[in-house]
Amino acid sequence: MASENVTSVEYIQHHLQNLTFGLHPENGWSIAHGAEEAREMGFWAIHLDTIGWSVLMGVIFLGLFRKVANSATSSGVPGGLQNMVEMVVEFVDDTVKTTFQGPHTRSPLIAPLALTVFVWIFLQNSLKLIPIDWLPGVFAKLGVDYMKVVPTTDPNATFGMAIGVFCLIIFYSFKIKGAGGFAKELSFTPFNHWSLVPFNLFLEVLQLLVKPISLALRLFGNMYAGEVIFILIALLPFWIQWTLNVPWAIFHILVITLQAFIFMVLTVVYLSSAHEKH
Amino acid sequence: MNINLTLIGQTIAFAIFVWFCMKYVWPPLIQALQERQKKIADGLDAASRANRDLELAQQQANETLRESKEQAAQILEQAHKRSNQMIEEARENARLEGERMIASARSEIDQEINRAKEELRAQVARLAIEGAERILESSIDEAKHRELVDKLATEL
C-alpha cells in the first residue's frame, strides 16, 4: 500500500527503520528523524519500538501465565486458558527433561528460562502476523514517524537475548566445573595433548563464541527475511496482495513457532553442555 | 540496524522476565500439574481397589448364597425325615390302639358269653328242676337237692 508520493525504496527503508531515541552529536538527546540521524547517534541510542513491543509481549506473557498460575489448582477441571498454559509448560518441561539427562543436577533456573525464551520469542515473532501497515499507520496518525513492530527483526533484540544466554553458559560452566575444570575443558578438548593446547583453546573459545552469535543470527535472519518479503508483497497492487500474503502468513505461523522452539532448544542444549563435566 | 543500547536494554528485560518466571510463574504451575497428576493416580488407584473390593464382596455373597441354599436343603430334608417318622409313629399308635380295642372287645365278648352261659346254665337248672318236679309230681326240697342240681348244672 505504497502511497503515490513515496517510492518503493523509500517505503522499504521506512519500514525497516526503528524508532530511535539517543544522543545525537548536534541535537543532544532526541528522537532520530531518519536513518542518517540514527546512525550518527552511534551506540548511545535506544530503539523505543523494539524495547517497547518486546517488553509489552513479555508483560503479556508473564501476566497471562501468572494469572493462570494463581488460579491453577490441582482440584477442579482446568478451563481452556489453563489447559493451554499447562500444555505449553508441560511441553517445555518435557523438552528440558529429555535434554538434561545424566548424572548432573539441573539448576532450577533452566526450565523457567526455557519457558520464558519460548513464549516470549513466540509472542514477539507473532507480531509479524499483524499486517505490516496497521500498527505503523496508527502510530503515524499519532505523530510517530517510525515504527518497526516485530522486535526479533532487530538484531539488538536477538543479540540481547543471546548475550543473556551466553552469560548463563559462562556462569554455569564456572559453577559446575569450577574455573580449573572449565579451563581444562577449553584447553584439552578435542585433542588431549599438551602441545595442542593453543589450538584447542582457539577451537573451544571460537565454539563458545559462536553459540550466542548463531542463536541471535538465526532468529534475526529468519524474522528479518520474512519481514522483507512481507514488505515486498505490500508493494504489489492491493487486489493481488492476498494471493501471496495469505500463503506467506500461513507459512510464517510455522516459522515463528519453529524459530521460538529452536531458540529454546538450543538454549537448553547449550546450558546442558555447560553442566556436563568431562 | 545499528547495534546500540537496545542490546543492553533487551538483555536486562530478558533477565527480569526470566527471574519473574522462575519466581512467580513456574513453581505454582508445576506444583499444580504434579498435584493433579498425583490426584489422578490416586483416583485410578482407588477405582481399581474398589473394583477388587466389589469382586471380593460378590464372591462372598455367592458363598453365602450357596451356604444358605445348602442349609435350606438340609432343613427340608430333616423336615421330610421328621414327617415320615411322625407318620410312622402315628400308624404304629393306631395299630396298637386298634389291637388294644380288639382285645378289649374280645374280652368283653367272652364275658358276655360266660354270663350268658351262666344264665343259661341257671335257667337250665331251674328248668330241669321244674321238669323233674313235674315228673316227680312232688316238690323237691330245694335246699336238700341244691348240691345235686348244681352239679348237674355244671355238667351241662
Side-chain angles (χ1 to χ4, degrees), chain A residues 43 45-47 54 58 62 65-66 73-75 82 86 89-90 93 109 111-113 115-116 120 124 156-157 159-161, chain B residues 1-11 13-14 17-18 20-22 24-26 28-30 32-33 35-37 39:
Chain A
F43 186 76
I46 191 158
H47 293 159
S54 63
L62 290 174
F65 276 56
R66 176 69 188 151
T73 47
S74 54
S75 59
Q82 198 187 338
E86 283 177 2
V89 168
E90 274 200 313
D93 196 36
L109 175 77
L113 170 78
L115 179 70
T116 309
W120 191 31
Q124 291 181 66
N156 287 299
F159 271 104
M161 290 183 285
Chain B
M1 286 234 293
N2 316 303
I3 293 293
N4 55 27
L5 268 185
T6 314
L7 184 77
I8 292 163
Q10 186 81 2
T11 310
F14 182 53
F17 289 149
V18 170
F20 188 90
C21 183
M22 183 176 78
Y24 299 109
V25 174
W26 187 265
L29 279 174
I30 279 293
L33 283 177
E35 266 169 28
R36 184 164 332 115
Q37 246 168 16
K39 193 164 275 183

Tab-separated table of all heavy atoms in Angstrom, chain A residues 43 45-47 54 58 62 65-66 73-75 82 86 89-90 93 109 111-113 115-116 120 124 156-157 159-161, chain B residues 1-11 13-14 17-18 20-22 24-26 28-30 32-33 35-37 39:
chain	number	residue	atom	x	y	z
A	43	PHE	N	26.329	4.269	19.404
A	43	PHE	CA	25.902	3.273	20.383
A	43	PHE	C	24.899	3.834	21.374
A	43	PHE	O	24.045	3.129	21.879
A	43	PHE	CB	27.125	2.721	21.133
A	43	PHE	CG	26.776	1.594	22.059
A	43	PHE	CD1	26.515	0.326	21.561
A	43	PHE	CD2	26.693	1.816	23.430
A	43	PHE	CE1	26.176	-0.700	22.413
A	43	PHE	CE2	26.355	0.777	24.278
A	43	PHE	CZ	26.108	-0.481	23.768
A	45	ALA	N	22.103	5.039	21.787
A	45	ALA	CA	20.734	5.228	21.316
A	45	ALA	C	19.929	3.985	21.653
A	45	ALA	O	20.501	2.911	21.874
A	45	ALA	CB	20.726	5.461	19.809
A	46	ILE	N	18.643	4.168	21.696
A	46	ILE	CA	17.815	3.012	22.043
A	46	ILE	C	16.626	2.951	21.099
A	46	ILE	O	16.064	3.984	20.731
A	46	ILE	CB	17.383	3.101	23.522
A	46	ILE	CG1	16.766	1.781	23.966
A	46	ILE	CG2	16.444	4.262	23.780
A	46	ILE	CD1	16.819	1.606	25.459
A	47	HIS	N	16.298	1.733	20.665
A	47	HIS	CA	15.146	1.570	19.773
A	47	HIS	C	13.893	1.456	20.628
A	47	HIS	O	13.632	0.422	21.216
A	47	HIS	CB	15.323	0.333	18.887
A	47	HIS	CG	16.443	0.469	17.914
A	47	HIS	ND1	17.073	-0.592	17.320
A	47	HIS	CD2	17.065	1.576	17.415
A	47	HIS	CE1	18.026	-0.172	16.512
A	47	HIS	NE2	18.044	1.141	16.553
A	54	SER	N	8.769	-5.560	22.762
A	54	SER	CA	9.237	-6.789	23.411
A	54	SER	C	8.853	-6.801	24.885
A	54	SER	O	8.443	-7.828	25.412
A	54	SER	CB	10.750	-6.971	23.237
A	54	SER	OG	11.441	-5.928	23.868
A	58	GLY	N	6.511	-9.423	26.750
A	58	GLY	CA	6.947	-10.090	27.978
A	58	GLY	C	5.932	-9.922	29.088
A	58	GLY	O	5.623	-10.874	29.816
A	62	LEU	N	3.950	-12.901	30.925
A	62	LEU	CA	4.030	-13.158	32.366
A	62	LEU	C	2.681	-12.912	33.042
A	62	LEU	O	2.296	-13.636	33.955
A	62	LEU	CB	5.110	-12.286	32.994
A	62	LEU	CG	6.531	-12.699	32.602
A	62	LEU	CD1	7.543	-11.703	33.128
A	62	LEU	CD2	6.855	-14.093	33.120
A	65	PHE	N	0.435	-15.945	32.236
A	65	PHE	CA	0.856	-17.169	32.915
A	65	PHE	C	0.738	-17.015	34.424
A	65	PHE	O	0.420	-17.975	35.132
A	65	PHE	CB	2.290	-17.535	32.506
A	65	PHE	CG	2.359	-18.305	31.222
A	65	PHE	CD1	1.791	-17.797	30.068
A	65	PHE	CD2	2.969	-19.549	31.171
A	65	PHE	CE1	1.834	-18.503	28.884
A	65	PHE	CE2	3.016	-20.265	29.988
A	65	PHE	CZ	2.450	-19.738	28.842
A	66	ARG	N	0.987	-15.785	34.898
A	66	ARG	CA	0.876	-15.558	36.339
A	66	ARG	C	-0.585	-15.692	36.781
A	66	ARG	O	-0.881	-16.255	37.824
A	66	ARG	CB	1.402	-14.155	36.677
A	66	ARG	CG	1.250	-13.740	38.125
A	66	ARG	CD	2.149	-14.533	39.022
A	66	ARG	NE	1.851	-14.256	40.431
A	66	ARG	CZ	2.043	-15.125	41.405
A	66	ARG	NH1	2.527	-16.310	41.143
A	66	ARG	NH2	1.768	-14.820	42.643
A	73	THR	N	-5.241	-24.811	40.278
A	73	THR	CA	-5.362	-25.688	41.434
A	73	THR	C	-5.394	-27.108	40.927
A	73	THR	O	-5.791	-27.356	39.793
A	73	THR	CB	-6.639	-25.392	42.218
A	73	THR	OG1	-7.707	-25.294	41.277
A	73	THR	CG2	-6.518	-24.114	43.001
A	74	SER	N	-4.983	-27.992	41.766
A	74	SER	CA	-4.986	-29.395	41.346
A	74	SER	C	-6.409	-29.934	41.312
A	74	SER	O	-6.720	-30.819	40.545
A	74	SER	CB	-4.147	-30.216	42.312
A	74	SER	OG	-4.595	-30.001	43.612
A	75	SER	N	-7.269	-29.343	42.169
A	75	SER	CA	-8.648	-29.812	42.165
A	75	SER	C	-9.426	-29.051	41.103
A	75	SER	O	-9.051	-27.962	40.704
A	75	SER	CB	-9.269	-29.574	43.526
A	75	SER	OG	-9.230	-28.206	43.837
A	82	GLN	N	-6.249	-22.338	31.061
A	82	GLN	CA	-5.350	-23.105	31.925
A	82	GLN	C	-4.803	-24.320	31.192
A	82	GLN	O	-3.624	-24.649	31.297
A	82	GLN	CB	-6.103	-23.536	33.182
A	82	GLN	CG	-5.157	-23.941	34.308
A	82	GLN	CD	-5.900	-24.528	35.477
A	82	GLN	OE1	-7.083	-24.285	35.658
A	82	GLN	NE2	-5.220	-25.297	36.285
A	86	GLU	N	-0.933	-24.942	30.606
A	86	GLU	CA	-0.336	-26.165	31.149
A	86	GLU	C	0.278	-27.009	30.051
A	86	GLU	O	1.319	-27.651	30.253
A	86	GLU	CB	-1.394	-26.965	31.905
A	86	GLU	CG	-1.684	-26.358	33.267
A	86	GLU	CD	-2.770	-27.089	33.999
A	86	GLU	OE1	-3.279	-28.099	33.478
A	86	GLU	OE2	-3.114	-26.645	35.104
A	89	VAL	N	3.574	-25.442	29.311
A	89	VAL	CA	4.507	-25.695	30.411
A	89	VAL	C	4.994	-27.141	30.372
A	89	VAL	O	6.190	-27.413	30.513
A	89	VAL	CB	3.832	-25.377	31.766
A	89	VAL	CG1	4.669	-25.912	32.911
A	89	VAL	CG2	3.646	-23.883	31.914
A	90	GLU	N	4.077	-28.064	30.158
A	90	GLU	CA	4.468	-29.471	30.121
A	90	GLU	C	5.390	-29.760	28.944
A	90	GLU	O	6.348	-30.513	29.068
A	90	GLU	CB	3.218	-30.356	30.021
A	90	GLU	CG	2.635	-30.653	31.378
A	90	GLU	CD	1.743	-31.879	31.338
A	90	GLU	OE1	0.905	-31.946	30.421
A	90	GLU	OE2	1.883	-32.735	32.211
A	93	ASP	N	8.699	-28.410	29.814
A	93	ASP	CA	9.273	-29.236	30.880
A	93	ASP	C	9.812	-30.552	30.313
A	93	ASP	O	10.910	-30.999	30.670
A	93	ASP	CB	8.190	-29.505	31.927
A	93	ASP	CG	8.781	-29.997	33.233
A	93	ASP	OD1	9.878	-29.518	33.587
A	93	ASP	OD2	8.168	-30.851	33.877
A	109	LEU	N	16.803	-22.898	37.474
A	109	LEU	CA	16.616	-21.774	36.550
A	109	LEU	C	16.262	-22.250	35.144
A	109	LEU	O	15.568	-21.558	34.409
A	109	LEU	CB	17.907	-20.939	36.497
A	109	LEU	CG	17.934	-19.795	35.482
A	109	LEU	CD1	17.138	-18.622	36.010
A	109	LEU	CD2	19.351	-19.378	35.169
A	111	ALA	N	14.404	-24.607	33.487
A	111	ALA	CA	13.072	-24.783	32.913
A	111	ALA	C	12.317	-23.460	32.777
A	111	ALA	O	11.773	-23.181	31.708
A	111	ALA	CB	12.281	-25.783	33.746
A	112	PRO	N	12.288	-22.608	33.824
A	112	PRO	CA	11.634	-21.315	33.635
A	112	PRO	C	12.300	-20.473	32.548
A	112	PRO	O	11.611	-19.779	31.800
A	112	PRO	CB	11.799	-20.626	34.995
A	112	PRO	CG	12.053	-21.714	35.953
A	112	PRO	CD	12.723	-22.807	35.206
A	113	LEU	N	13.597	-20.590	32.442
A	113	LEU	CA	14.311	-19.872	31.383
A	113	LEU	C	13.827	-20.338	30.020
A	113	LEU	O	13.512	-19.526	29.140
A	113	LEU	CB	15.820	-20.115	31.511
A	113	LEU	CG	16.672	-19.617	30.347
A	113	LEU	CD1	16.870	-18.135	30.419
A	113	LEU	CD2	18.003	-20.339	30.299
A	115	LEU	N	11.016	-21.761	29.299
A	115	LEU	CA	9.628	-21.320	29.095
A	115	LEU	C	9.588	-19.860	28.659
A	115	LEU	O	8.894	-19.493	27.707
A	115	LEU	CB	8.825	-21.504	30.385
A	115	LEU	CG	7.371	-21.066	30.312
A	115	LEU	CD1	6.575	-22.002	29.420
A	115	LEU	CD2	6.741	-21.004	31.692
A	116	THR	N	10.365	-19.032	29.358
A	116	THR	CA	10.384	-17.609	29.015
A	116	THR	C	10.870	-17.422	27.588
A	116	THR	O	10.261	-16.682	26.810
A	116	THR	CB	11.323	-16.855	29.980
A	116	THR	OG1	10.962	-17.194	31.305
A	116	THR	CG2	11.199	-15.365	29.795
A	120	TRP	N	8.099	-15.992	25.084
A	120	TRP	CA	8.405	-14.585	24.802
A	120	TRP	C	8.779	-14.406	23.329
A	120	TRP	O	8.265	-13.518	22.643
A	120	TRP	CB	9.534	-14.103	25.720
A	120	TRP	CG	9.734	-12.628	25.699
A	120	TRP	CD1	8.791	-11.666	25.492
A	120	TRP	CD2	10.966	-11.938	25.915
A	120	TRP	NE1	9.343	-10.427	25.566
A	120	TRP	CE2	10.693	-10.565	25.828
A	120	TRP	CE3	12.268	-12.349	26.181
A	120	TRP	CZ2	11.673	-9.592	25.997
A	120	TRP	CZ3	13.240	-11.382	26.354
A	120	TRP	CH2	12.952	-10.017	26.265
A	124	GLN	N	6.813	-12.319	20.452
A	124	GLN	CA	7.477	-11.263	19.683
A	124	GLN	C	7.400	-11.554	18.185
A	124	GLN	O	7.111	-10.673	17.378
A	124	GLN	CB	8.946	-11.136	20.106
A	124	GLN	CG	9.126	-10.589	21.506
A	124	GLN	CD	10.600	-10.470	21.859
A	124	GLN	OE1	11.325	-9.691	21.280
A	124	GLN	NE2	11.033	-11.260	22.811
A	156	ASN	N	19.493	-6.108	17.643
A	156	ASN	CA	19.733	-5.758	19.040
A	156	ASN	C	18.952	-6.675	19.982
A	156	ASN	O	19.451	-7.102	21.018
A	156	ASN	CB	19.314	-4.320	19.298
A	156	ASN	CG	20.277	-3.350	18.687
A	156	ASN	OD1	21.444	-3.338	19.040
A	156	ASN	ND2	19.803	-2.560	17.746
A	157	ALA	N	17.710	-6.944	19.591
A	157	ALA	CA	16.865	-7.768	20.455
A	157	ALA	C	17.369	-9.199	20.505
A	157	ALA	O	17.538	-9.780	21.583
A	157	ALA	CB	15.427	-7.736	19.946
A	159	PHE	N	20.334	-10.363	19.688
A	159	PHE	CA	21.651	-10.449	20.343
A	159	PHE	C	21.535	-10.207	21.836
A	159	PHE	O	22.271	-10.802	22.623
A	159	PHE	CB	22.634	-9.453	19.708
A	159	PHE	CG	23.375	-10.030	18.548
A	159	PHE	CD1	23.043	-9.687	17.252
A	159	PHE	CD2	24.403	-10.943	18.757
A	159	PHE	CE1	23.719	-10.236	16.179
A	159	PHE	CE2	25.083	-11.486	17.689
A	159	PHE	CZ	24.729	-11.134	16.387
A	160	GLY	N	20.595	-9.346	22.216
A	160	GLY	CA	20.393	-9.106	23.645
A	160	GLY	C	20.048	-10.394	24.374
A	160	GLY	O	20.625	-10.714	25.418
A	161	MET	N	19.116	-11.149	23.798
A	161	MET	CA	18.720	-12.412	24.437
A	161	MET	C	19.854	-13.428	24.379
A	161	MET	O	20.119	-14.150	25.345
A	161	MET	CB	17.477	-12.964	23.740
A	161	MET	CG	16.246	-12.130	24.019
A	161	MET	SD	14.743	-12.785	23.301
A	161	MET	CE	14.973	-12.373	21.596
B	1	MET	N	19.377	-0.448	11.727
B	1	MET	CA	20.040	-1.716	12.068
B	1	MET	C	21.364	-1.462	12.771
B	1	MET	O	22.352	-2.128	12.517
B	1	MET	CB	20.289	-2.503	10.776
B	1	MET	CG	19.002	-3.085	10.232
B	1	MET	SD	19.178	-4.806	9.980
B	1	MET	CE	20.357	-4.818	8.650
B	2	ASN	N	21.368	-0.439	13.606
B	2	ASN	CA	22.596	-0.177	14.337
B	2	ASN	C	22.573	-0.972	15.628
B	2	ASN	O	21.529	-1.170	16.237
B	2	ASN	CB	22.688	1.305	14.690
B	2	ASN	CG	22.306	2.153	13.513
B	2	ASN	OD1	22.902	2.026	12.453
B	2	ASN	ND2	21.293	2.987	13.685
B	3	ILE	N	23.769	-1.409	15.999
B	3	ILE	CA	23.878	-2.032	17.315
B	3	ILE	C	24.025	-0.896	18.321
B	3	ILE	O	24.905	-0.051	18.185
B	3	ILE	CB	25.107	-2.954	17.373
B	3	ILE	CG1	24.916	-4.160	16.454
B	3	ILE	CG2	25.382	-3.398	18.803
B	3	ILE	CD1	23.836	-5.121	16.886
B	4	ASN	N	23.125	-0.864	19.282
B	4	ASN	CA	23.192	0.227	20.249
B	4	ASN	C	22.674	-0.216	21.615
B	4	ASN	O	22.581	-1.418	21.885
B	4	ASN	CB	22.441	1.449	19.718
B	4	ASN	CG	21.006	1.096	19.339
B	4	ASN	OD1	20.448	0.169	19.899
B	4	ASN	ND2	20.452	1.837	18.393
B	5	LEU	N	22.303	0.723	22.414
B	5	LEU	CA	21.866	0.442	23.789
B	5	LEU	C	20.701	-0.545	23.881
B	5	LEU	O	20.503	-1.170	24.909
B	5	LEU	CB	21.434	1.762	24.458
B	5	LEU	CG	22.484	2.542	25.239
B	5	LEU	CD1	21.801	3.730	25.899
B	5	LEU	CD2	23.104	1.664	26.328
B	6	THR	N	19.944	-0.633	22.798
B	6	THR	CA	18.814	-1.572	22.783
B	6	THR	C	19.251	-2.968	23.199
B	6	THR	O	18.530	-3.684	23.890
B	6	THR	CB	18.232	-1.640	21.360
B	6	THR	OG1	18.089	-0.320	20.870
B	6	THR	CG2	16.891	-2.324	21.364
B	7	LEU	N	20.460	-3.299	22.753
B	7	LEU	CA	21.053	-4.595	23.088
B	7	LEU	C	21.047	-4.833	24.598
B	7	LEU	O	20.584	-5.867	25.089
B	7	LEU	CB	22.493	-4.585	22.562
B	7	LEU	CG	23.331	-5.827	22.675
B	7	LEU	CD1	22.920	-6.802	21.604
B	7	LEU	CD2	24.794	-5.460	22.502
B	8	ILE	N	21.553	-3.844	25.311
B	8	ILE	CA	21.637	-3.986	26.764
B	8	ILE	C	20.245	-3.925	27.380
B	8	ILE	O	19.919	-4.697	28.291
B	8	ILE	CB	22.557	-2.893	27.342
B	8	ILE	CG1	23.985	-3.181	26.864
B	8	ILE	CG2	22.503	-2.880	28.854
B	8	ILE	CD1	24.910	-1.995	26.999
B	9	GLY	N	19.408	-3.055	26.820
B	9	GLY	CA	18.030	-2.978	27.325
B	9	GLY	C	17.329	-4.313	27.202
B	9	GLY	O	16.679	-4.773	28.142
B	10	GLN	N	17.500	-4.934	26.045
B	10	GLN	CA	16.841	-6.218	25.807
B	10	GLN	C	17.386	-7.283	26.762
B	10	GLN	O	16.627	-8.111	27.285
B	10	GLN	CB	17.063	-6.636	24.351
B	10	GLN	CG	16.316	-7.864	23.924
B	10	GLN	CD	14.878	-7.557	23.569
B	10	GLN	OE1	14.451	-6.411	23.602
B	10	GLN	NE2	14.117	-8.585	23.262
B	11	THR	N	18.704	-7.272	26.984
B	11	THR	CA	19.296	-8.244	27.909
B	11	THR	C	18.723	-8.072	29.312
B	11	THR	O	18.392	-9.059	29.982
B	11	THR	CB	20.828	-8.074	27.949
B	11	THR	OG1	21.309	-8.044	26.617
B	11	THR	CG2	21.480	-9.200	28.711
B	13	ALA	N	15.816	-6.693	30.105
B	13	ALA	CA	14.411	-7.129	30.086
B	13	ALA	C	14.337	-8.649	30.161
B	13	ALA	O	13.540	-9.212	30.919
B	13	ALA	CB	13.730	-6.623	28.819
B	14	PHE	N	15.201	-9.281	29.368
B	14	PHE	CA	15.261	-10.747	29.341
B	14	PHE	C	15.530	-11.304	30.738
B	14	PHE	O	14.828	-12.188	31.231
B	14	PHE	CB	16.364	-11.159	28.364
B	14	PHE	CG	16.530	-12.639	28.189
B	14	PHE	CD1	15.458	-13.442	27.856
B	14	PHE	CD2	17.780	-13.226	28.335
B	14	PHE	CE1	15.615	-14.800	27.676
B	14	PHE	CE2	17.948	-14.585	28.149
B	14	PHE	CZ	16.860	-15.371	27.826
B	17	PHE	N	12.512	-10.848	33.022
B	17	PHE	CA	11.421	-11.769	32.697
B	17	PHE	C	11.735	-13.179	33.173
B	17	PHE	O	10.881	-13.865	33.731
B	17	PHE	CB	11.164	-11.780	31.180
B	17	PHE	CG	10.523	-10.511	30.681
B	17	PHE	CD1	10.772	-10.060	29.403
B	17	PHE	CD2	9.676	-9.774	31.499
B	17	PHE	CE1	10.175	-8.898	28.938
B	17	PHE	CE2	9.086	-8.613	31.036
B	17	PHE	CZ	9.339	-8.170	29.764
B	18	VAL	N	12.975	-13.607	32.945
B	18	VAL	CA	13.349	-14.956	33.372
B	18	VAL	C	13.256	-15.062	34.888
B	18	VAL	O	12.721	-16.040	35.437
B	18	VAL	CB	14.774	-15.301	32.895
B	18	VAL	CG1	15.248	-16.589	33.556
B	18	VAL	CG2	14.812	-15.451	31.396
B	20	PHE	N	11.365	-13.313	36.906
B	20	PHE	CA	9.963	-13.306	37.311
B	20	PHE	C	9.315	-14.664	37.052
B	20	PHE	O	8.587	-15.203	37.890
B	20	PHE	CB	9.207	-12.216	36.529
B	20	PHE	CG	7.800	-12.011	37.012
B	20	PHE	CD1	7.529	-11.094	38.013
B	20	PHE	CD2	6.745	-12.749	36.477
B	20	PHE	CE1	6.231	-10.906	38.466
B	20	PHE	CE2	5.451	-12.560	36.936
B	20	PHE	CZ	5.192	-11.634	37.930
B	21	CYS	N	9.642	-15.205	35.896
B	21	CYS	CA	9.069	-16.505	35.534
B	21	CYS	C	9.505	-17.583	36.518
B	21	CYS	O	8.708	-18.400	36.963
B	21	CYS	CB	9.511	-16.885	34.124
B	21	CYS	SG	8.799	-18.415	33.524
B	22	MET	N	10.798	-17.535	36.880
B	22	MET	CA	11.332	-18.542	37.786
B	22	MET	C	10.725	-18.404	39.178
B	22	MET	O	10.516	-19.378	39.880
B	22	MET	CB	12.853	-18.391	37.868
B	22	MET	CG	13.507	-19.431	38.732
B	22	MET	SD	15.284	-19.271	38.690
B	22	MET	CE	15.554	-17.914	39.764
B	24	TYR	N	7.720	-16.588	40.117
B	24	TYR	CA	6.280	-16.493	40.345
B	24	TYR	C	5.414	-17.293	39.375
B	24	TYR	O	4.225	-17.428	39.609
B	24	TYR	CB	5.839	-15.025	40.268
B	24	TYR	CG	6.491	-14.160	41.303
B	24	TYR	CD1	7.458	-13.218	40.958
B	24	TYR	CD2	6.157	-14.311	42.657
B	24	TYR	CE1	8.063	-12.433	41.912
B	24	TYR	CE2	6.764	-13.533	43.618
B	24	TYR	CZ	7.728	-12.600	43.245
B	24	TYR	OH	8.318	-11.847	44.197
B	25	VAL	N	5.984	-17.766	38.287
B	25	VAL	CA	5.138	-18.430	37.288
B	25	VAL	C	5.365	-19.935	37.282
B	25	VAL	O	4.426	-20.721	37.363
B	25	VAL	CB	5.393	-17.846	35.877
B	25	VAL	CG1	4.631	-18.619	34.829
B	25	VAL	CG2	4.991	-16.380	35.838
B	26	TRP	N	6.617	-20.323	37.204
B	26	TRP	CA	6.925	-21.746	37.023
B	26	TRP	C	6.529	-22.607	38.226
B	26	TRP	O	5.820	-23.612	38.052
B	26	TRP	CB	8.412	-21.905	36.700
B	26	TRP	CG	8.779	-23.301	36.349
B	26	TRP	CD1	9.275	-24.261	37.170
B	26	TRP	CD2	8.643	-23.918	35.068
B	26	TRP	NE1	9.476	-25.422	36.496
B	26	TRP	CE2	9.099	-25.242	35.200
B	26	TRP	CE3	8.178	-23.480	33.831
B	26	TRP	CZ2	9.100	-26.128	34.138
B	26	TRP	CZ3	8.198	-24.379	32.772
B	26	TRP	CH2	8.651	-25.673	32.939
B	28	PRO	N	4.325	-22.446	40.857
B	28	PRO	CA	2.926	-22.810	41.095
B	28	PRO	C	2.329	-23.661	39.985
B	28	PRO	O	1.552	-24.582	40.271
B	28	PRO	CB	2.197	-21.464	41.204
B	28	PRO	CG	3.117	-20.450	40.679
B	28	PRO	CD	4.501	-20.969	40.849
B	29	LEU	N	2.734	-23.374	38.749
B	29	LEU	CA	2.178	-24.165	37.637
B	29	LEU	C	2.624	-25.615	37.732
B	29	LEU	O	1.827	-26.538	37.616
B	29	LEU	CB	2.620	-23.565	36.300
B	29	LEU	CG	1.808	-22.367	35.812
B	29	LEU	CD1	2.438	-21.773	34.565
B	29	LEU	CD2	0.381	-22.779	35.526
B	30	ILE	N	3.922	-25.788	37.951
B	30	ILE	CA	4.448	-27.154	38.019
B	30	ILE	C	3.861	-27.894	39.212
B	30	ILE	O	3.510	-29.071	39.145
B	30	ILE	CB	5.995	-27.109	38.100
B	30	ILE	CG1	6.580	-26.897	36.702
B	30	ILE	CG2	6.566	-28.373	38.713
B	30	ILE	CD1	6.364	-28.057	35.753
B	32	ALA	N	0.940	-27.356	40.600
B	32	ALA	CA	-0.448	-27.709	40.298
B	32	ALA	C	-0.500	-28.933	39.393
B	32	ALA	O	-1.295	-29.848	39.612
B	32	ALA	CB	-1.158	-26.534	39.624
B	33	LEU	N	0.410	-28.963	38.418
B	33	LEU	CA	0.439	-30.101	37.489
B	33	LEU	C	0.764	-31.390	38.225
B	33	LEU	O	0.119	-32.412	38.040
B	33	LEU	CB	1.484	-29.854	36.393
B	33	LEU	CG	1.072	-28.886	35.290
B	33	LEU	CD1	2.211	-28.679	34.325
B	33	LEU	CD2	-0.140	-29.417	34.564
B	35	GLU	N	0.445	-31.982	41.415
B	35	GLU	CA	-0.630	-32.361	42.329
B	35	GLU	C	-1.763	-33.047	41.581
B	35	GLU	O	-2.317	-34.041	42.047
B	35	GLU	CB	-1.173	-31.121	43.044
B	35	GLU	CG	-0.519	-30.891	44.394
B	35	GLU	CD	-0.871	-29.533	44.966
B	35	GLU	OE1	-1.954	-29.006	44.644
B	35	GLU	OE2	-0.067	-28.984	45.725
B	36	ARG	N	-2.089	-32.488	40.417
B	36	ARG	CA	-3.187	-33.109	39.654
B	36	ARG	C	-2.796	-34.503	39.219
B	36	ARG	O	-3.587	-35.432	39.283
B	36	ARG	CB	-3.560	-32.241	38.456
B	36	ARG	CG	-4.757	-32.838	37.751
B	36	ARG	CD	-5.488	-31.931	36.787
B	36	ARG	NE	-5.414	-30.541	37.082
B	36	ARG	CZ	-4.810	-29.675	36.283
B	36	ARG	NH1	-4.236	-30.083	35.178
B	36	ARG	NH2	-4.786	-28.415	36.583
B	37	GLN	N	-1.537	-34.636	38.795
B	37	GLN	CA	-1.072	-35.964	38.384
B	37	GLN	C	-1.249	-36.968	39.521
B	37	GLN	O	-1.740	-38.070	39.338
B	37	GLN	CB	0.407	-35.881	38.027
B	37	GLN	CG	0.669	-36.128	36.562
B	37	GLN	CD	2.080	-35.749	36.200
B	37	GLN	OE1	2.928	-35.588	37.085
B	37	GLN	NE2	2.342	-35.608	34.923
B	39	LYS	N	-3.227	-36.706	42.070
B	39	LYS	CA	-4.640	-36.918	42.364
B	39	LYS	C	-5.245	-37.930	41.405
B	39	LYS	O	-5.972	-38.829	41.798
B	39	LYS	CB	-5.373	-35.572	42.272
B	39	LYS	CG	-6.758	-35.617	42.844
B	39	LYS	CD	-7.296	-34.237	43.091
B	39	LYS	CE	-6.869	-33.679	44.431
B	39	LYS	NZ	-7.460	-32.374	44.683
